[in-house]
Amino acid sequence: MAGTFDQGDPGGPSRYLPIAEHGVVGDLRTVALVGTDGTVDWYCCPRFDSPSVFASILDADRGGCFELAAAVPARTKQFYFPDTNVLITRFFTEDGVGEIQDFMPVSDHAGDGREADRHRLIRRVVCVRGSIPFRARVAPRFGYGAQPHEVTERGGVVLFSSDDLSLALTATVPVACDERDAVAEFTLKEGRSEVFALDRVGADVEPRGCPHAEADAEFAATVGFWRRWLAASRYRGRWREMVHRSALTLKLLTYAPTGAIVAAPTTSLPEQIGGERNWDYRYLWVRDAAFCVYALLRLGFTDEAAAFMDFLTRRVCRDAGGPSGPLQIMYGIDGRTDLPERVLGHLEGHRGSAPVRVGNAAVGQLQLDIYGALIDSVYLYDKWGQPISSGHWDDVCSLVDWVCEHWDQPDEGVWETRGGRKNFLYSRLMCWVAIERAMRMSRRRGLPADIQRWRDTRDTIYRKLMRRGWSDTRGAFVQHQDGDVLDAAVLMMPLVKFISPTDPKWLSTLDALTADLVSDSLVYRYDPRASPDGLRGEEGTFSICSFWYVEALVRAGRVEEARLAFEKMLTYANHLGLYAEEISRNGEQQGNFPQAFTHLSLISAAFNLDRALG
C-alpha cells in the first residue's frame, strides 16, 4: 500500500502536512511520526508520554523536527516494508530515485539490557537510481518546545543536551552545527547509502556511531522481529493486508515494560480543524485496551493479552475508594493514576487548532462501561488464552460485586462528555455484560460466586434498558434513559449479545441509526446539538462506530450491505492503511493518529464479515 505526495514550497501558505500524510515507526516504548515529505514531526523520548522532542505537527515554528529529503523538487511515495513496521519514503526526481528507510530497532525481549534504553531512530538514505542531492536538518525542541538545549560536537557525535534529556546524532556524512540545530547536505549516486542515527544517551547509554554494516544488521534484525511476531497471526481471510497492518499498529502502541496499550501515540491532533476538541491520548484507557485484547486474541496473539491482564490486576483497588470505583478509566503507561491536564499555550496547535493539551482531566470521570469491557476481555482470555488464576477470579468477583451496587448511577459515559452525568444506556449495557460474562466463567469452570445476586442484578438491568432505554417516539434504543437522542454506542447491543440481531426492536433501531447518524456508511457517534456535551464545535464521523455498524449489519443478516460499507470504510484509510479517530466531511482524517480504537474495530469487523461470507 503506498501513497504519493508532491512536495510543495516549504515556505508556502500550508506549513502542515495533513494528519493522514504520515507513517509511524516505533520500538514498543515510543513512536516517531514520519511525514510523506520525509520529516519526523512528532517524537517523544524515551516514552509515549514523555515531553516531545519533535512536535512540528503541533507547531511548525516552535515544535522541532528532523527533516530529511531530496534537495530538489520531488514526488514522494510512502510504504511499509512488507509485514513490518519499517517505513520507506521514496523520492522521485528528474535525475534519479532515492528512499529513506526509517525504523527503530526492537529486540525479541524488549526491555532487557541497556540497548533497550537507547531508543535509536535510524534513518538510512539510499539512492536506487541515478543521482540525487539530499539535505538534512535536525532541530530538536525539548520539553514540548519550551526547554532550552545546548549543542556540542565531539569525535563525530553531535550532542543535543537539555536539563532532562540528551540525544546524540551520528551520521556517515559530515554534519555542521549552529547553536540549536545540525544540518547536512550530500549527494548520493546509484547504489550508495548514508545513515543517520539519533540515540537517547545518558549515564547508562554512551553515544555510539551507526556505520553502514551496523545499519544493515539493525535493519535485518528489525524486519525479522516484526515478521516473527506477525507470523503468529491466525487470520487468513479476505482482508489480510488491512487486518495485519492493524495488528502491527496495535502492537506498535504497546508499551513493552508494562503491557499497557496507549489509545494513540499523539496529543491534541484536532477532531475539528480550528476547534477545541483536542485531547492527550498517550495513556492506557481500560476500555480501549480491553477491546484491543479481544482483537489480538481473535488473531492468536495471547502474550499481549496476558501482559495486559497482569497490568490491570495490579491496578484493581478492592476497597473501591476512588470516585470511579475499583478502577480508573485510564492510567499512565507505567500504571500511575495522576494525569493532570494542562494547556501548552506557547504552541499554536495543528493548523492553528489550539489548545494543545497534555494530561487528561477525564481521568477522574465515572464511566461504568469500562467494567463490562474489561470483564468481557477476561472472559475471552480465559476461553481462548489461558484459564485465569484464582487471584484473577477474586478480582473479577470484587469488580462484579461493585457493579451490582453501582450500575444504576449516572456517569459521563463512553464518549467522556464534559456536559454533566446522565443515565447512559451504553454504560448500563456494559454493566450487564460485566455480570453476564462473569456468570459464564463461573458456570463453565465451577468457580465460586454469588450467582443469585448476580442473576437478579443482571435481569434488573435488562428489564430497565428494555423499558426506559427504548423510545416509542424514535422507534429505537436511545442514548440515555427516558430520552429521544440517538447514539451509535447502542450498535454494541447485538454485538455483546444483549439482544438478538434480528429482534424487531433492534432492526427498528438499526433503521433509525441509519437514517440519522449514517452518512454513506460513515457513522457519527451522536449529534452534539441534540445532546450537548459541554464543548463547542462539531466533529467528524467516528471510525470505530463505522466498523461497529458493519458488524451490526452482518449480524442482522444484511451481509452484502455490510460488505459494501466495510469496503467503503477501507477507502478512507491513509496510504499505509492507518486511521485516525475520525473522518471529516471532506474525507480527511481527524483526531489523534494512529488510533487503537479504529484498528481494533477493523479487525473485529473483518473477522465477523469473513465468517458470514463463508
Side-chain angles (χ1 to χ4, degrees):
M1 214 177 258
T4 58
F5 178 75
D6 196 358
Q7 287 185 279
D9 175 9
S14 178
R15 300 174 301 150
Y16 295 92
L17 285 179
I19 292 169
E21 291 288 337
H22 290 86
V24 60
V25 298
D27 64 355
L28 304 184
R29 283 165 179 73
T30 187
V31 303
L33 263 60
V34 185
T36 47
D37 59 357
T39 298
V40 177
D41 57 13
W42 179 253
Y43 177 56
C44 298
C45 186
R47 312 189 322 181
F48 291 107
D49 57 355
S50 298
S52 64
V53 174
F54 303 132
S56 57
I57 196 170
L58 293 178
D59 193 307
D61 296 324
R62 301 179 187 89
C65 61
F66 187 160
E67 299 172 352
L68 183 56
V72 293
R75 291 182 302 106
T76 69
K77 185 173 287 188
Q78 202 173 55
F79 56 96
Y80 278 111
F81 206 71
D83 293 338
T84 77
N85 281 314
V86 174
L87 185 67
I88 313 295
T89 306
R90 184 167 288 167
F91 294 81
F92 300 86
T93 74
E94 286 190 0
D95 297 318
V97 178
E99 64 185 33
I100 301 169
Q101 301 166 352
D102 282 305
F103 60 98
M104 296 182 70
V106 53
S107 71
D108 281 310
H109 303 286
D112 297 344
R114 294 179 181 177
E115 283 306 300
D117 293 327
R118 188 175 291 276
H119 304 291
R120 170 167 274 191
L121 172 62
I122 296 178
R123 315 201 70 192
R124 184 163 65 172
V125 192
V126 181
C127 183
V128 180
R129 302 175 67 182
S131 175
I132 303 179
F134 283 89
R135 62 169 177 254
R137 174 174 168 258
V138 185
R141 299 293 182 263
F142 294 89
Y144 301 111
Q147 194 174 77
H149 69 276
E150 296 180 349
V151 181
T152 56
E153 194 276 332
R154 185 174 64 252
V157 176
V158 178
L159 189 65
F160 303 97
S161 302
S162 71
D163 288 345
D164 300 324
L165 179 68
S166 293
L167 298 177
L169 173 71
T170 58
T172 56
V173 297
V175 175
C177 304
D178 60 19
E179 293 182 351
R180 296 210 296 176
D181 305 338
V183 296
E185 294 186 0
F186 56 98
T187 298
L188 283 179
K189 297 187 181 299
E190 188 169 322
R192 305 292 293 177
S193 66
E194 302 293 355
V195 180
F196 292 82
L198 189 66
D199 295 356
R200 172 184 179 258
V201 293
D204 295 330
V205 182
E206 292 292 324
R208 190 183 79 220
C210 189
H212 293 284
E214 183 171 345
D216 290 344
E218 293 278 31
F219 181 91
T222 306
V223 167
F225 171 83
W226 289 114
R227 287 183 171 172
R228 282 191 301 275
W229 182 81
L230 191 61
S233 171
R234 295 198 297 253
Y235 183 78
R236 299 292 182 270
R238 293 165 176 80
W239 297 282
R240 189 172 176 181
E241 183 180 1
M242 289 296 290
V243 167
H244 281 176
R245 178 50 51 200
S246 291
L248 284 163
T249 302
L250 293 181
K251 179 65 173 175
L252 206 54
L253 301 184
T254 303
Y255 183 62
T258 64
I261 303 170
V262 297
T266 58
T267 181
S268 300
L269 294 182
E271 296 175 16
Q272 179 189 23
I273 299 299
E276 66 171 343
R277 297 169 183 265
N278 313 324
W279 314 110
D280 192 348
Y281 278 8
R282 298 172 298 157
Y283 309 111
L284 176 140
W285 267 254
V286 171
R287 172 194 312 109
D288 299 43
F291 284 154
C292 281
V293 167
Y294 166 79
L296 292 171
L297 280 172
R298 275 291 192 200
L299 302 180
F301 298 108
T302 56
D303 288 348
E304 287 71 23
F308 171 69
M309 292 300 162
D310 289 341
F311 179 92
L312 260 297
T313 298
R314 294 192 294 271
R315 309 280 103 66
V316 174
C317 177
R318 294 190 188 178
D319 63 12
S324 57
L327 289 173
Q328 288 189 174
I329 68 162
M330 72 178 86
Y331 296 90
I333 55 176
D334 56 0
R336 72 187 188 281
T337 57
D338 190 25
L339 306 172
E341 182 178 304
R342 61 191 175 97
V343 171
L344 303 180
H346 63 283
L347 297 179
E348 73 170 11
H350 179 75
R351 292 175 60 187
S353 302
V356 172
R357 294 182 174 97
V358 295
N360 201 306
V363 69
Q365 288 189 355
L366 175 64
Q367 297 176 18
L368 293 167
D369 68 282
I370 66 172
Y371 294 95
L374 174 60
I375 294 177
D376 193 30
S377 70
V378 173
Y379 163 75
L380 295 171
Y381 178 70
D382 183 72
K383 181 178 179 181
W384 295 338
Q386 296 290 330
I388 64 170
S389 68
S390 57
H392 278 147
W393 179 246
D394 290 341
D395 289 334
V396 167
C397 289
S398 68
L399 293 176
V400 175
D401 288 341
W402 187 89
V403 168
C404 288
E405 287 286 339
H406 297 89
W407 68 269
D408 202 19
Q409 55 186 309
D411 69 348
E412 277 86 5
V414 61
W415 306 131
E416 295 181 359
T417 61
R418 300 196 177 190
R421 294 182 175 182
K422 296 178 182 175
N423 294 305
F424 288 105
L425 180 147
Y426 182 79
S427 298
R428 285 145 181 72
L429 169 70
M430 296 307 287
C431 286
W432 178 91
V433 169
I435 300 169
E436 199 276 337
R437 298 303 190 267
M439 290 175 63
R440 287 194 193 189
M441 277 189 282
S442 174
R443 285 195 302 267
R444 190 177 73 247
R445 292 187 49 200
L447 296 169
D450 191 350
I451 291 294
Q452 186 60 51
R453 182 193 186 202
W454 291 5
R455 180 184 294 111
D456 290 346
T457 307
R458 180 199 65 179
D459 294 349
T460 299
I461 297 173
Y462 177 89
R463 294 189 182 98
K464 192 162 190 175
L465 290 188
M466 283 295 188
R467 186 175 69 254
R468 300 184 65 181
W470 172 263
S471 167
D472 286 325
T473 303
R474 302 303 301 267
F477 290 103
V478 290
Q479 183 182 68
H480 53 84
Q481 187 174 294
D482 301 327
D484 289 319
V485 176
L486 295 182
D487 189 326
V490 304
L491 286 164
M492 285 293 286
M493 294 179 78
L495 275 55
V496 298
K497 304 185 189 307
F498 176 86
I499 191 171
S500 164
T502 56
D503 186 291
K505 277 191 169 182
W506 173 249
L507 294 177
S508 176
T509 300
L510 188 57
D511 288 341
L513 292 170
T514 301
D516 271 37
L517 296 181
V518 179
S519 173
D520 190 37
S521 82
L522 301 179
V523 182
Y524 292 94
R525 51 184 179 172
Y526 59 91
D527 183 352
R529 293 167 299 182
S531 180
D533 55 13
L535 297 165
R536 297 187 302 274
E538 298 180 352
E539 58 182 20
T541 55
F542 213 68
S543 294
I544 188 174
C545 296
S546 300
F547 287 120
W548 284 351
Y549 181 61
V550 170
E551 282 204 58
L553 290 173
V554 169
R555 293 171 191 253
R558 294 156 62 173
V559 178
E560 287 306 316
E561 190 177 345
R563 183 172 189 173
L564 180 59
F566 185 74
E567 294 283 5
K568 282 183 177 180
M569 189 59 194
L570 295 186
T571 68
Y572 287 98
N574 83 343
H575 55 286
L576 299 167
L578 302 178
Y579 289 89
E581 186 173 29
E582 301 181 9
I583 296 169
S584 70
R585 290 184 183 276
N586 65 0
E588 292 290 325
Q589 303 262 6
Q590 293 182 154
N592 285 309
F593 173 90
Q595 177 85 356
F597 233 4
T598 307
H599 287 280
L600 64 91
S601 60
L602 182 155
I603 292 171
S604 182
F607 185 92
N608 287 290
L609 183 54
D610 261 322
R611 187 166 56 183
L613 289 168

